Amino acid sequence: MKIVSWNVNSVRARIENILNYIKDTNPDILFLQEIKTENINFPSEAFKKNGYNSYVFGQKSYNGVAFLSKCKITNVKNDLIKDKLKQSRIITGEILVNKKKIKLINIYVPNGNPIDSEKYEYKKSWLTSFVKKIKKELSLNPNLILSGDFNIIPEEIDVYDYNRYKNDALFKLEIRKKFRELINLGFNDVYRYFNKSKQEYTFWDYFAGSWQKNYGMRIDHFLVSNSLLENLISININKTPRSKSKPSDHTPIELEIN
DNA sequence: ATGGCTGAGCTACTCAGA
């Protein structure tokens, strides 16, 4: 089973890119972030024609997350944590794989820049609530797949020049510590599990030729709980969509499990 | 290099992204 996470930076502006990607790679489930639209304007019909059900937690203009899935996702919810600003950043659901009930958690973590603003405080408190909730979730169901745009660069190797990001909300130590807290609850950063020292990215800025110069960062992640380690087959950052015309600034990360 | 693009909402421009 192939599960993909992709921050599409507007589902409506990206519809052609997404449909082309789906036809090329044939994933079973997609976790989308930054769909930037309300539920009513989500292009569910276009996805339905291509064999996918849509499960949407939208918001006007900003944020918004969704699942696309060939199979049914059950128990879909938007209320995993209480979001202080009522932004659409989490959607969860359940699937059955080889008799294992797996909970899917799709997230779009606040960016948090600039660090001397309320936005940074929001990111910190959001992550604190989230880590706390995930600890509880793990005690209820040990089989968790947690993925999305974390807006966290885990380590120095995960960005083209970490010195430039020391005081950035994506790389500040107290933010990276939140990521480590999650891992320490009993998760694996799947990309790093398979690639101990490889340097690859999932995001490149639109400006200053960042893509051409490979000035990127790895901020989109798949975390799976320890109980699912035996089910992992592979993980791949697929850079092709970022090279296309009118791309998202993020590219998909693809997980294969059995 | 704290923005050089890009998208949404809306029709001139701000806000947000990372």
Side-chain angles (χ1 to χ4, degrees):
Chain A
M1 165 175 258
K2 191 187 279 183
I3 307 179
V4 168
S5 175
W6 191 8
N7 177 325
V8 293
N9 186 17
S10 171
V11 70
R12 289 190 287 168
R14 214 68 58 213
I15 187 68
E16 290 308 319
N17 303 55
I18 299 171
L19 292 176
N20 288 334
Y21 171 77
I22 283 174
K23 287 168 192 162
D24 288 346
T25 56
N26 196 27
D28 294 283
I29 302 175
L30 295 99
F31 291 29
L32 303 181
Q33 302 89 34
E34 271 206 280
I35 61 170
K36 289 187 169 181
T37 193
E38 294 170 292
N39 288 28
I40 190 160
N41 292 321
F42 190 88
S44 307
E45 283 307 311
F47 294 126
K48 192 77 202 172
K49 274 184 197 163
N50 286 272
Y52 290 84
N53 300 308
S54 297
Y55 304 89
V56 185
F57 182 32
Q59 184 183 330
K60 195 174 186 176
S61 302
Y62 307 116
N63 314 309
V65 286
F67 292 119
L68 303 180
S69 179
K70 288 185 177 181
C71 54
K72 278 254 162 31
I73 300 179
T74 58
N75 211 11
V76 175
K77 291 184 177 175
N78 309 323
D79 60 351
L80 190 75
I81 65 167
K82 191 177 282 181
D83 193 305
K84 281 180 187 172
L85 302 183
K86 298 196 185 316
Q87 298 184 349
S88 304
R89 297 184 173 277
I90 302 186
I91 187 167
T92 63
E94 288 170 358
I95 54 168
L96 210 56
V97 182
N98 293 332
K99 294 175 185 172
K100 271 189 180 178
K101 188 172 83 177
I102 299 179
K103 182 152 186 171
L104 308 175
I105 303 173
N106 176 8
I107 62 171
Y108 175 46
V109 178
N111 174 294
N113 278 313
I115 58 170
D116 58 355
S117 71
E118 279 301 313
K119 292 179 182 181
Y120 188 62
E121 298 306 313
Y122 172 54
K123 180 177 195 174
K124 281 196 291 186
S125 69
W126 195 99
L127 284 167
T128 300
S129 319
F130 183 69
V131 172
K132 196 173 162 189
K133 186 68 185 186
I134 292 299
K135 184 176 183 179
K136 197 175 162 191
E137 284 295 321
L138 209 49
S139 69
L140 299 172
N141 179 354
N143 307 320
L144 296 186
I145 296 178
L146 168 54
S147 185
D149 177 357
F150 283 64
N151 272 320
I152 301 175
I153 300 163
E155 301 294 340
E156 293 174 355
I157 190 177
D158 295 310
V159 59
Y160 69 98
D161 181 359
Y162 65 86
N163 282 311
R164 289 192 189 186
Y165 288 87
K166 286 212 160 114
N167 289 309
D168 189 284
L170 279 69
F171 189 65
K172 267 190 79 79
L173 194 55
E174 62 181 346
I175 297 296
R176 292 159 61 203
K177 280 183 175 170
K178 299 289 186 192
F179 189 81
R180 295 176 194 174
E181 275 180 45
L182 273 177
I183 299 290
N184 290 336
L185 292 177
F187 285 93
N188 305 274
D189 173 353
V190 182
Y191 179 82
R192 210 34 93 205
Y193 178 79
F194 282 112
N195 304 284
K196 298 301 178 203
S197 59
K198 204 168 169 185
Q199 192 161 24
E200 281 191 297
Y201 310 129
T202 63
F203 167 89
W204 298 259
D205 254 318
Y206 283 124
F207 31 70
S210 299
W211 166 248
Q212 288 75 11
K213 290 186 283 194
N214 197 28
Y215 283 5
M217 53 187 76
R218 192 173 71 92
I219 55 177
D220 301 270
H221 308 295
F222 265 102
L223 266 50
V224 305
S225 54
N226 289 339
S227 67
L228 295 175
L229 265 187
E230 59 187 22
N231 300 88
L232 296 178
I233 297 171
S234 67
I235 193 147
N236 178 48
I237 296 172
N238 185 344
K239 289 192 272 295
T240 306
R242 185 63 181 81
S243 72
K244 301 284 190 188
S245 147
K246 262 180 74 81
S248 168
D249 40 8
H250 296 250
T251 213
I253 175 167
E254 305 164 343
L255 174 75
E256 190 89 46
I257 61 164
N258 66 16

